[in-house]
Amino acid sequence: MKGISREDVRHLAWLAKIELSAQEEETLSKQMADILNYFKILDKIDTKSIEPAYHVREVKNVFRPDEPRKANPDEILKLAPAKKGRYVKAPKIV
Amino acid sequence: MKMQSAWEIAEGVRKGSISAVEIVEEFFERIEKHDKEIRAFITVSKDSAIQQAKEIEKKRREKKLGRLAGVPIAVKDNICTRGIETTCASKILKGYIPPYDATAVRMLKEEGAVIIGKTNLDEFGMGSSTEFSAFFATKNPRNLNHVPGGSSGGSAAAVAKGLSAVALGTDTGGSIRCPSAFCGVVGVKPTYGLVSRYGLIAYANTLEQIGPIANNVIDAALLLSCIAGHDPHDSTSIGENKDYTKFNSSAKKLKIGVPRQYFGEGTQKAVSDAVWRAIKKLEGEGAEVEEIDLKSVGYALASYYIIAMSEASSNLARYDGLRYGFQDSSGARDWSTLFSKDRKAGFGFEVKKRIMLGTFALSAGYFDAYYLKAQKVRNLIIQDFQRAFKKFDVLMGPTMPTTAFKLGEKTVDPLAMYMSDCDTVPANLAGIPAASIPCGSSNGLPIGLQIMATPFEEGKMLNVAKTLEDILGVYAE
Amino acid sequence: MKDDLGLKIGLEVHCQLTVLKTKLFCSCPSNYRGEDPNTNICEVCTGMPGTLPVLNEKAVEAAVKIALALDCKISESMNFFRKNYFYPDLPKNFQITQYDKAGGSPIAKEGLVETIAGIIRIRRIQLEEDPGKLSYEGTIVSSPISLVDYNRAGVALVEIVTEPDLKSPKHAREFLQKLRSILEHIGVCDGSLEGAMRCDANVSLFGGKRVEVKNISSFKEVERALNFEITRQKTMANVAKAEGMETRHWDDVRRVTVTLRVKEAEEDYRYFPEPDLVPITISKEYVADIRKRMPELPDGRKARFVKQYVISEEIAGVLVGEKLLADIFEESLRTRMASNLLGSWLAIDILGYLNRSEKTLADMKFKPKDLAELARKVEKKELTENTAKSVVIKAIEQGKSTFEFAKEGAAITDEKSIMDAVKEVFEANPKAVEDAKSDPKAINFLMGQLMKATKGRADHELARKTIEQAITAGS
Ligand SMILES: [Zn+2]
């Protein structure tokens, strides 16, 4: 794996919606490269015939009955920092 | 100072020899006196605690008291408590008041426990020293120049210093066991699925569990008994409601496996010596001890961090400042800019780094090489443990390779900090129960011994812990 | 649309499972319509920290029904994935959906839908959660802010993805109409509810890059949006401007597509298995049981109509195009056989009127059996067909549940009155009477004049017979 360029860091930051300072970009590209380099240790193991363990327990078919329950909307809405009436207010879209 | 154990408090309150209000007030006095230097608590909830204690007094007259009647409990600040601020030690959740109780918290309340406050942690659980809290670092009560471990550092420090009778922690890669080892208390990470994760603010969903931190094994077992069990709100919860407080202390015929990989080159001699001394004592009591190899454990750390960071990058996406939490007020012109500014100011550097790495590991071109690969390696680790448990009742080794390091010692070198989790993360990857109990000290700093068992064998694991505690005694300075 | 444009249209149709009582992963009511903003929400569907999703049992059943109706292969085991992207209407900033790569398995794949203009292949269908709803002050472009309502967030959706088999905007509309009728017949999605069926369209011309048009909220809009987008792309091609892969938003107020600011591409979504949900097995027995309980589908119903009621394929096709219409037809027939008359009233006259006046079948307040009674009167010649139809239209127009006849509204069926009326028309139109002797078309003109004079009340057949006899007699 090649190192992590400043461009890579910027693209990832855009995907993750985190604004970074120039200093943070710099430090991150270095530290991320070091850590990713450490992760290369896994290349030593042959895992071709191994299934991934996405779920550690083999639980299947867990459901909830289709029964409505009224919750606490006002307690939830109260938490939003910016509102207009009962709407949550956000900046423009396009 | 002779600390009253949780089970003694509950028994006293039930019998009426102890007043719930008085005992709670006693703990608040200690918090007022000592927390200025330890800084275990982010929030102290005195008013609601006294109120709760009064209600318990009322219930006593009606003889309807639970197993934790009047027991003061501290809750790690990444577990939701309705009406009590829950921050994850992050600026992005400063002021956040959950509209609901975590299932574990609800169960504790039903058993009569009194929530006295919310404890400090590394932001969102991302750290091993509690130095990455956005608010302040917690100090190790055994030596104030050292870290308490993390990420449940506040909970472990509070219990060790007697600021709370017991505490809830969470363990994603060692976050209950590490601070328990560093502070000289008992910590239990339950089997994945035993305790509901509903209300545990997610860092890495497939790895983490809520668990008890206590001064002794009985208290830990009592607390675990009260929070274990199936929860319809958590699809991955399959635990049974069991009583873990019935002990049968005997080491006879107990088969103990000791994986060599847990005594790697970074392990301090004092640590391996203390752990071995304890194991030898069990052997002296009739246990059969054998050294074994768990080869895949050497890959656990990389596998663990890839999975944890990937899951975290997705879990932490919801913090955008719209529905709750911190919102930037500089007048961002569009939503994307606003989100980016909220997250810039709201997250600490370590959190940003892990989100960035997780975003990378899940990216289309790298998914197979990182996330998928890590999950496959995880399967190998699971299989390795399964093989070992065919032969042994429990596995033992150090909880941490070292005693508590100094404040600031590892904050500049992220890899060095990550490496200190090498002995704890395998249990999270395998989803098995693991406990840390004190087994000695070096230079006044506690050493923790780790016991691991097969899934849902917490009973067996705690029995061994109790046997060991009976031999070694609880940690004393 | 001509083939030489190389036009390819694929659709992603999002159908809300309106049959469910609760949302996909929480217990909030799934019917948010008519509620105040942010009242139909809980800690789960607003993505409060620490909350976890639990799957609605009935959602799986509804999705399996859709899969069966669309002839899909149903997965033996399915799982959920997270699709990661930020957007203000997405409470967790990821959507729980299904995926067909990286070990993912959506509920079903590879189905088909037959339309008049050809077979549409279904690529896959998947269960997923609906985002919240954004509204603007003015339009999406001019609004300085957006307002978020999470009432809809978490409602169960089935996404139906087609192959690019649609030949024209009109074909897309035909397909959607058919799909809606299928979903209504199996009773999982009420397409008449606003926003219950929405779609995104992928359009490409001349083998150019795909453009995705989002936010199309009704079938009429689909045709409009696609027509706009095709014209736009043609113009772009004419000025030789290469089309990049793009996502555009259908602005149904201004009726144009507008580009969205840089959006994630498919490879940026970082799909991975949803760790908080477990895999779901769909056993053969489970599917067989649902198959047994599947109701009649539009195609089968159409064939039955043709056979059982001896009506034309065309009329039958129109009738089953909307479940309610077909239901009204069959319900009417319970009282009295007048299948052809009823069929054409419903399929042509009533539907035509509803479409012209932007009304729906729901605006018909009278009982199907009353409609059948009218048809019976027409058959017994107690009423002219024209009168019957105008009474029906008037009832729909005024939202009446009963039919009202004008006082002098009864059909004129006695020979004497008709003869009198014919005489009057002949006197007023001597030229036409003369022409009619050699040109049968002029008879039609005279018929028209007669119906006008009698306000459409003259019995059609009797009037024609009388006119014809009078002309023959006069020549
Ligand atoms: Zn909800």
PDB file of all heavy atoms in Angstrom, chain B residues 13-30:
ATOM      1  N   VAL B  13     -29.654  -2.315  53.750  1.00  0.00           N
ATOM      2  CA  VAL B  13     -30.812  -1.489  53.403  1.00  0.00           C
ATOM      3  C   VAL B  13     -32.077  -2.330  53.457  1.00  0.00           C
ATOM      4  O   VAL B  13     -33.111  -1.884  53.957  1.00  0.00           O
ATOM      5  CB  VAL B  13     -30.618  -0.835  52.019  1.00  0.00           C
ATOM      6  CG1 VAL B  13     -31.920  -0.190  51.531  1.00  0.00           C
ATOM      7  CG2 VAL B  13     -29.500   0.212  52.069  1.00  0.00           C
ATOM      8  N   ARG B  14     -31.977  -3.554  52.965  1.00  0.00           N
ATOM      9  CA  ARG B  14     -33.164  -4.418  52.969  1.00  0.00           C
ATOM     10  C   ARG B  14     -33.606  -4.723  54.395  1.00  0.00           C
ATOM     11  O   ARG B  14     -34.777  -4.708  54.721  1.00  0.00           O
ATOM     12  CB  ARG B  14     -32.887  -5.726  52.207  1.00  0.00           C
ATOM     13  CG  ARG B  14     -33.213  -5.637  50.716  1.00  0.00           C
ATOM     14  CD  ARG B  14     -33.328  -7.005  50.096  1.00  0.00           C
ATOM     15  NE  ARG B  14     -32.129  -7.804  50.304  1.00  0.00           N
ATOM     16  CZ  ARG B  14     -31.109  -7.845  49.429  1.00  0.00           C
ATOM     17  NH1 ARG B  14     -31.168  -7.152  48.310  1.00  0.00           N
ATOM     18  NH2 ARG B  14     -30.054  -8.579  49.676  1.00  0.00           N
ATOM     19  N   LYS B  15     -32.612  -4.987  55.255  1.00  0.00           N
ATOM     20  CA  LYS B  15     -32.952  -5.326  56.644  1.00  0.00           C
ATOM     21  C   LYS B  15     -33.362  -4.101  57.454  1.00  0.00           C
ATOM     22  O   LYS B  15     -34.012  -4.223  58.488  1.00  0.00           O
ATOM     23  CB  LYS B  15     -31.744  -5.979  57.325  1.00  0.00           C
ATOM     24  CG  LYS B  15     -31.667  -7.477  57.023  1.00  0.00           C
ATOM     25  CD  LYS B  15     -30.735  -8.215  57.976  1.00  0.00           C
ATOM     26  CE  LYS B  15     -29.295  -7.800  57.716  1.00  0.00           C
ATOM     27  NZ  LYS B  15     -28.272  -8.717  58.202  1.00  0.00           N
ATOM     28  N   GLY B  16     -32.907  -2.924  56.940  1.00  0.00           N
ATOM     29  CA  GLY B  16     -33.235  -1.705  57.669  1.00  0.00           C
ATOM     30  C   GLY B  16     -32.124  -1.253  58.597  1.00  0.00           C
ATOM     31  O   GLY B  16     -32.264  -0.277  59.312  1.00  0.00           O
ATOM     32  N   SER B  17     -30.980  -1.945  58.587  1.00  0.00           N
ATOM     33  CA  SER B  17     -29.869  -1.522  59.444  1.00  0.00           C
ATOM     34  C   SER B  17     -29.079  -0.383  58.797  1.00  0.00           C
ATOM     35  O   SER B  17     -28.283   0.283  59.444  1.00  0.00           O
ATOM     36  CB  SER B  17     -28.947  -2.714  59.719  1.00  0.00           C
ATOM     37  OG  SER B  17     -28.467  -3.243  58.508  1.00  0.00           O
ATOM     38  N   ILE B  18     -29.277  -0.170  57.517  1.00  0.00           N
ATOM     39  CA  ILE B  18     -28.628   0.948  56.828  1.00  0.00           C
ATOM     40  C   ILE B  18     -29.715   1.780  56.157  1.00  0.00           C
ATOM     41  O   ILE B  18     -30.643   1.228  55.567  1.00  0.00           O
ATOM     42  CB  ILE B  18     -27.641   0.438  55.742  1.00  0.00           C
ATOM     43  CG1 ILE B  18     -26.494  -0.357  56.386  1.00  0.00           C
ATOM     44  CG2 ILE B  18     -27.089   1.594  54.910  1.00  0.00           C
ATOM     45  CD1 ILE B  18     -25.535  -0.976  55.395  1.00  0.00           C
ATOM     46  N   SER B  19     -29.578   3.105  56.243  1.00  0.00           N
ATOM     47  CA  SER B  19     -30.521   3.981  55.545  1.00  0.00           C
ATOM     48  C   SER B  19     -29.974   4.291  54.159  1.00  0.00           C
ATOM     49  O   SER B  19     -28.809   4.687  54.010  1.00  0.00           O
ATOM     50  CB  SER B  19     -30.703   5.279  56.343  1.00  0.00           C
ATOM     51  OG  SER B  19     -30.779   6.387  55.478  1.00  0.00           O
ATOM     52  N   ALA B  20     -30.808   4.088  53.153  1.00  0.00           N
ATOM     53  CA  ALA B  20     -30.374   4.335  51.777  1.00  0.00           C
ATOM     54  C   ALA B  20     -29.943   5.788  51.607  1.00  0.00           C
ATOM     55  O   ALA B  20     -28.930   6.080  50.970  1.00  0.00           O
ATOM     56  CB  ALA B  20     -31.505   3.992  50.809  1.00  0.00           C
ATOM     57  N   VAL B  21     -30.704   6.707  52.198  1.00  0.00           N
ATOM     58  CA  VAL B  21     -30.371   8.124  52.061  1.00  0.00           C
ATOM     59  C   VAL B  21     -29.020   8.412  52.716  1.00  0.00           C
ATOM     60  O   VAL B  21     -28.164   9.080  52.134  1.00  0.00           O
ATOM     61  CB  VAL B  21     -31.483   8.997  52.690  1.00  0.00           C
ATOM     62  CG1 VAL B  21     -31.104  10.473  52.624  1.00  0.00           C
ATOM     63  CG2 VAL B  21     -32.813   8.748  51.977  1.00  0.00           C
ATOM     64  N   GLU B  22     -28.818   7.857  53.911  1.00  0.00           N
ATOM     65  CA  GLU B  22     -27.546   8.103  54.608  1.00  0.00           C
ATOM     66  C   GLU B  22     -26.356   7.551  53.848  1.00  0.00           C
ATOM     67  O   GLU B  22     -25.330   8.206  53.710  1.00  0.00           O
ATOM     68  CB  GLU B  22     -27.587   7.497  56.022  1.00  0.00           C
ATOM     69  CG  GLU B  22     -28.235   8.438  57.023  1.00  0.00           C
ATOM     70  CD  GLU B  22     -28.500   7.734  58.362  1.00  0.00           C
ATOM     71  OE1 GLU B  22     -27.712   6.819  58.731  1.00  0.00           O
ATOM     72  OE2 GLU B  22     -29.502   8.103  59.019  1.00  0.00           O
ATOM     73  N   ILE B  23     -26.505   6.339  53.313  1.00  0.00           N
ATOM     74  CA  ILE B  23     -25.365   5.737  52.626  1.00  0.00           C
ATOM     75  C   ILE B  23     -25.035   6.519  51.359  1.00  0.00           C
ATOM     76  O   ILE B  23     -23.873   6.770  51.033  1.00  0.00           O
ATOM     77  CB  ILE B  23     -25.606   4.221  52.332  1.00  0.00           C
ATOM     78  CG1 ILE B  23     -24.279   3.536  51.960  1.00  0.00           C
ATOM     79  CG2 ILE B  23     -26.573   3.985  51.195  1.00  0.00           C
ATOM     80  CD1 ILE B  23     -23.495   3.080  53.119  1.00  0.00           C
ATOM     81  N   VAL B  24     -26.082   6.968  50.671  1.00  0.00           N
ATOM     82  CA  VAL B  24     -25.852   7.757  49.453  1.00  0.00           C
ATOM     83  C   VAL B  24     -25.165   9.075  49.807  1.00  0.00           C
ATOM     84  O   VAL B  24     -24.219   9.503  49.150  1.00  0.00           O
ATOM     85  CB  VAL B  24     -27.181   7.973  48.697  1.00  0.00           C
ATOM     86  CG1 VAL B  24     -27.037   9.041  47.621  1.00  0.00           C
ATOM     87  CG2 VAL B  24     -27.665   6.661  48.079  1.00  0.00           C
ATOM     88  N   GLU B  25     -25.624   9.706  50.866  1.00  0.00           N
ATOM     89  CA  GLU B  25     -25.002  10.969  51.294  1.00  0.00           C
ATOM     90  C   GLU B  25     -23.535  10.771  51.672  1.00  0.00           C
ATOM     91  O   GLU B  25     -22.681  11.612  51.401  1.00  0.00           O
ATOM     92  CB  GLU B  25     -25.796  11.588  52.453  1.00  0.00           C
ATOM     93  CG  GLU B  25     -26.971  12.401  51.920  1.00  0.00           C
ATOM     94  CD  GLU B  25     -27.939  12.865  53.008  1.00  0.00           C
ATOM     95  OE1 GLU B  25     -27.862  12.331  54.128  1.00  0.00           O
ATOM     96  OE2 GLU B  25     -28.775  13.741  52.708  1.00  0.00           O
ATOM     97  N   GLU B  26     -23.267   9.641  52.296  1.00  0.00           N
ATOM     98  CA  GLU B  26     -21.891   9.310  52.683  1.00  0.00           C
ATOM     99  C   GLU B  26     -20.978   9.270  51.450  1.00  0.00           C
ATOM    100  O   GLU B  26     -19.869   9.783  51.464  1.00  0.00           O
ATOM    101  CB  GLU B  26     -21.897   7.918  53.321  1.00  0.00           C
ATOM    102  CG  GLU B  26     -21.131   7.778  54.601  1.00  0.00           C
ATOM    103  CD  GLU B  26     -21.361   6.386  55.181  1.00  0.00           C
ATOM    104  OE1 GLU B  26     -20.637   5.466  54.741  1.00  0.00           O
ATOM    105  OE2 GLU B  26     -22.292   6.225  56.015  1.00  0.00           O
ATOM    106  N   PHE B  27     -21.492   8.656  50.381  1.00  0.00           N
ATOM    107  CA  PHE B  27     -20.691   8.570  49.152  1.00  0.00           C
ATOM    108  C   PHE B  27     -20.499   9.955  48.527  1.00  0.00           C
ATOM    109  O   PHE B  27     -19.420  10.267  48.024  1.00  0.00           O
ATOM    110  CB  PHE B  27     -21.312   7.576  48.154  1.00  0.00           C
ATOM    111  CG  PHE B  27     -20.876   6.156  48.406  1.00  0.00           C
ATOM    112  CD1 PHE B  27     -21.594   5.317  49.263  1.00  0.00           C
ATOM    113  CD2 PHE B  27     -19.707   5.663  47.813  1.00  0.00           C
ATOM    114  CE1 PHE B  27     -21.171   4.017  49.508  1.00  0.00           C
ATOM    115  CE2 PHE B  27     -19.283   4.354  48.055  1.00  0.00           C
ATOM    116  CZ  PHE B  27     -20.020   3.525  48.907  1.00  0.00           C
ATOM    117  N   PHE B  28     -21.535  10.793  48.601  1.00  0.00           N
ATOM    118  CA  PHE B  28     -21.377  12.141  48.044  1.00  0.00           C
ATOM    119  C   PHE B  28     -20.347  12.943  48.838  1.00  0.00           C
ATOM    120  O   PHE B  28     -19.616  13.749  48.282  1.00  0.00           O
ATOM    121  CB  PHE B  28     -22.723  12.875  47.971  1.00  0.00           C
ATOM    122  CG  PHE B  28     -23.527  12.472  46.761  1.00  0.00           C
ATOM    123  CD1 PHE B  28     -24.725  11.792  46.891  1.00  0.00           C
ATOM    124  CD2 PHE B  28     -23.047  12.754  45.475  1.00  0.00           C
ATOM    125  CE1 PHE B  28     -25.452  11.409  45.770  1.00  0.00           C
ATOM    126  CE2 PHE B  28     -23.770  12.365  44.350  1.00  0.00           C
ATOM    127  CZ  PHE B  28     -24.975  11.685  44.496  1.00  0.00           C
ATOM    128  N   GLU B  29     -20.292  12.700  50.122  1.00  0.00           N
ATOM    129  CA  GLU B  29     -19.259  13.371  50.925  1.00  0.00           C
ATOM    130  C   GLU B  29     -17.874  12.970  50.437  1.00  0.00           C
ATOM    131  O   GLU B  29     -16.976  13.793  50.312  1.00  0.00           O
ATOM    132  CB  GLU B  29     -19.397  12.991  52.404  1.00  0.00           C
ATOM    133  CG  GLU B  29     -20.341  13.903  53.174  1.00  0.00           C
ATOM    134  CD  GLU B  29     -20.717  13.300  54.532  1.00  0.00           C
ATOM    135  OE1 GLU B  29     -19.832  12.672  55.181  1.00  0.00           O
ATOM    136  OE2 GLU B  29     -21.898  13.431  54.919  1.00  0.00           O
ATOM    137  N   ARG B  30     -17.714  11.682  50.179  1.00  0.00           N
ATOM    138  CA  ARG B  30     -16.405  11.212  49.687  1.00  0.00           C
ATOM    139  C   ARG B  30     -16.084  11.813  48.316  1.00  0.00           C
ATOM    140  O   ARG B  30     -14.953  12.168  48.029  1.00  0.00           O
ATOM    141  CB  ARG B  30     -16.392   9.685  49.626  1.00  0.00           C
ATOM    142  CG  ARG B  30     -16.196   9.040  51.000  1.00  0.00           C
ATOM    143  CD  ARG B  30     -15.452   7.723  50.893  1.00  0.00           C
ATOM    144  NE  ARG B  30     -16.342   6.651  50.461  1.00  0.00           N
ATOM    145  CZ  ARG B  30     -17.105   5.938  51.297  1.00  0.00           C
ATOM    146  NH1 ARG B  30     -17.075   6.180  52.609  1.00  0.00           N
ATOM    147  NH2 ARG B  30     -17.878   4.986  50.847  1.00  0.00           N
TER     148      ARG B  30
END
